[in-house]
Amino acid sequence: MEHQHHEHQHEMPEMKGHDHPQHQERNGMGHGDMGHAGYDHGAMIADFRKRFYVVLAFTLPILALSPMIQHWLHLQIGFPGDRYILFALSTAVFLYGGRPFLTGWLSELKAKNPGMMTLIGFAISVAYLYSAATVFGLKGMDFFWELDTLILIMLLGHWIEMKSIAGASRELELLVQLMPSAAHVLKGDVTEDVKTESLKENDLILIKPGEKVPADGMVEDGESYLNESMLTGESAPVQKTKGQQVIAGSVNGNGSLKVRVTHSGKDSYLFKVIDLVRDAQNAKSNTQLLADKAARWLTIIALLAGITTFVVWISLGHDLAFAMERMVTVIVICCPHALGLAVPLVVAKSTSLSAQHGLLIKNRTAFENARKITSIVFDKTGTLTKGKFEVSRMVFTEGVLKSENELLKLAGALESNSEHPIATGILSEVKKRKLTLPEAAQFKAITGKGVEAVAEQKHIKVVSPGYLKENSISLPVNFKVASNETVVFVLIGEKLAGFVALADAIREESKGAIATLHENGIKSILLTGDNKQVAESVSTQLKMDGFFAEVLPHEKLEKIKELQQQGEFVAMTGDGVNDAPALAQADVGIAVGSGSDVAAETAGIVLVNSNPKDIVNLILFGKATYRKMTQNLAWATGYNVITLPLAAGVLYNQGIMVSPAIGAVLMTVSTVVVAINASLLSIGNKK
């Protein structure tokens, strides 16, 4: 997926000025096409609020002058020309209060895409023209008061609903606001404050304590803890020292950092995420297409039902005013508003929430399909395991050394110059135990077998089991290596001083993640290039449903196909690079641990962290999101099935009548219910 980052370079920090995605998405089903092309979201909310209050001011005199209201309240307010004043006030309400609906109707007609605005525009126009005709000679009773209350409630409903939509997109706005507006660029000894968007690759910037990081980069000097939770979902602050990456938008702790910019603002991880979120919010999934189709049909049904209602009541001998009122009520109550919003509101909320928790949705359909997953295939290294060697145990030879720490110090002294994963694992343990390493001199590599040097006036070697065999050095009694362990031996002279065992440790979260999958009826399968013993060991410890071992990268695709042929709906997790074919073949491809490589091309979903708990969260959140969508669709459809016959007057003989104003209230309530239900969506939502 290509992202056109340059489009957003300058407008990002002021995103409040954007119309919300679902308005464009619904092709005129909402306010996006209401003749307000130049408006931003906040201005549209303010406009509806203002129109509502103006119409409210007109409502009292209109009600007071309406013959029907006077009849109900047993009042007598009459004076010469009162009908013309009522007409003038109602005309003002129709033209000013009804303007958004009338211009929206025109836009929908131009686009040949009739929707909600067509229904409201048609309903208020019929009500106004009929009532105006009664003022100038047509026999019948006007319903100006009904027109006024209908427009009043419609304006209120739109105002409330737009505030709900603004709430659903607030998370995306929060992501935008993560970017600081200024950065401190270091030029020699001078610090210059510049706008964030003017930062270029290779600029050296200073990040002071408590400040937000303005661009992706590499630490050149300093040490601090950074809070990356809003970007990755990782709650614990992450330590950053020289040579480590920092992500734009994360918050610096109490140390100062000098950072070399690696991506300018528009190419930063955060901007890619924002683009991705916006693309996903605008993308139509199958559920969205279903909702759009339903809303289109509802528009046609509403118009046909309204006209049929009018014809039926006229043919039954009722007067024109009554038949008109029934028609207007049917059309208003059937507005496919709730239906049009049922899915987009959930989409906006879920996509933004996901981004904050390090789940980046590139393909809406893949995300919604998470509910169908029956088997999930885990790439082992770096997902279920930590992907790096850690010291699992140490044994020292009594009489030669006094403690584990002494053994570790000697091994660490020799490994301190090496980049090898084993050396990194030993040094990590040294750091954890806060040990001071002795100096090592006369450092020499023993080809393919280990290293040797002089430390603490002793000749030390750190070697593999192969070296011991070759030199006939006997192994300790009861010496056993677990299938997932790698062992190095420490020799003083040629005497065995002990050994250090290292393993790619299983993540603490893995066990819980696999157990949660089982609770949800999802099988977990391990896929690894490691040997059978290692695969079996990890699979057994985590109580997984099976494993594929010694699988080469190009064979992963075949394993996914095998599972699919057995009728499984398969999700695959991989690193997005060598797993690309398998990710593409899987029903749901999840790229993990991609960090700032957001555009892991073949995956439908990218997880910023490699945490298996995130994968489980993703699946459960996908299910919760789909549930919210179906709840909203069921509510919006069910509401119309019940209220349409009532509006048409099927229970008229039982004394049950729904006025246009009550119809508008019911329509507004149904829309607000949909908006509130969408806003209740949260990660970890089980409902």
Side-chain angles (χ1 to χ4, degrees), residues 7 114 178 198 279 343 362 373 379 420 440 510 520 581 594 598 649 679:
E7 290 173 8
L178 283 178
S198 68
D279 288 346
V343 173
K362 287 178 60 190
I373 293 168
D379 188 37
H420 192 278
S510 296
N520 284 272
S594 301
V598 173
S679 71

Side-chain angles (χ1 to χ4, degrees), residues 230 363 579:
M230 267 298 274
N363 180 321
D579 297 326

